[in-house]
Amino acid sequence: MKQKGKLVRWNENRGFGFIKSPAIKGDLFIHISELKKMSRRPKVNDIIYFDHVTDDTGKKKAINARIEGVEEVIYRPRKKSKGRSFTSKLISLLIFGGLAFAVYATYPYWSQMFVKSLPVGFIDEDFTGYRCEGKKYCSEMTSCKEARFYLMNCPNVQIDGDNDGIPCESQWCN
């Protein structure tokens, strides 16, 4: 059966206090860890229900405690930190770097696979004088040859709507 007492002192910074109970001689020590299921922290003059034990040094302390009239919680979320720790940021950076290196290291393979899927004539064509200048759409191209150059060599182009390897079919390469 639980004992009943009043919290007579509480040190918020250190997380402990003392209970006065008519059933026990002297003050009884209580630590915040014994009230971890409470929805709020204890305050002086709270009525506390508890079990008590005597530790190895002969001191009495309260265990399995609860505050009268205060709701118990099953889960209390931890306080959110203001940001991720340096270690977690470093791990994320290393993972991202490893993935980026893996993509970079296999780029020749993927680009060759793309070139092999292009129609005959694309690979041997002379594209001297062309360079990637940030064009993305068929409306920005000036010829079918330029569109083929962009499709083979430039990133982020949107000039092969049906993905058949022939760019700008309705504007230049029909």
Side-chain angles (χ1 to χ4, degrees):
M1 186 167 138
K2 295 250 185 222
Q3 301 285 331
K4 179 180 176 180
K6 183 191 269 189
L7 188 64
V8 291
R9 287 184 305 233
W10 183 254
N11 185 327
E12 183 64 36
N13 293 335
R14 296 183 66 194
F16 71 87
F18 294 92
I19 300 171
K20 183 96 137 155
S21 174
I24 299 170
K25 185 178 178 184
D27 290 346
L28 187 68
F29 176 83
I30 184 166
H31 190 265
I32 189 63
S33 64
E34 298 301 330
L35 295 163
K36 61 187 168 208
K37 293 181 182 178
M38 297 288 92
S39 61
R40 71 163 172 82
R41 309 271 292 183
K43 300 175 187 171
V44 172
N45 293 324
D46 277 345
I47 301 299
I48 309 287
Y49 291 91
F50 59 92
D51 295 321
H52 77 280
V53 295
T54 305
D55 66 14
D56 297 338
T57 63
K59 294 181 182 177
K60 295 176 274 184
K61 66 179 186 175
I63 61 170
N64 303 323
R66 68 179 178 83
I67 305 169
E68 181 179 67
V70 175
E71 191 175 318
E72 287 188 22
V73 292
I74 296 171
Y75 169 74
R76 179 183 297 170
R78 292 176 171 236
K79 290 181 181 178
K80 291 184 178 181
S81 63
K82 293 188 179 190
R84 295 187 325 189
S85 70
F86 174 76
T87 306
S88 66
K89 288 178 184 177
L90 181 62
I91 290 170
S92 297
L93 183 62
L94 289 173
I95 290 170
F96 178 75
L99 290 172
F101 179 76
V103 168
Y104 172 76
T106 59
Y107 176 74
Y109 168 77
W110 294 110
S111 63
Q112 287 302 311
M113 291 298 293
F114 174 71
V115 169
K116 288 177 183 173
S117 69
L118 293 174
V120 177
F122 265 43
I123 299 168
D124 300 328
E125 195 166 359
D126 179 24
F127 291 118
T128 306
Y130 292 104
R131 64 174 195 222
C132 295
E133 296 176 329
K135 297 178 183 179
K136 293 171 65 173
Y137 306 104
C138 291
S139 60
E140 298 171 310
M141 305 296 154
T142 57
S143 67
C144 181
K145 189 173 181 180
E146 182 182 28
R148 287 195 298 264
F149 169 81
Y150 263 82
L151 186 60
M152 288 179 61
N153 299 297
C154 304
N156 302 324
V157 293
Q158 297 176 4
I159 58 177
D160 186 11
D162 58 4
N163 295 315
D164 66 351
I166 302 171
C168 303
E169 292 168 284
S170 60
Q171 290 93 345
W172 295 107
C173 303
N174 46 8

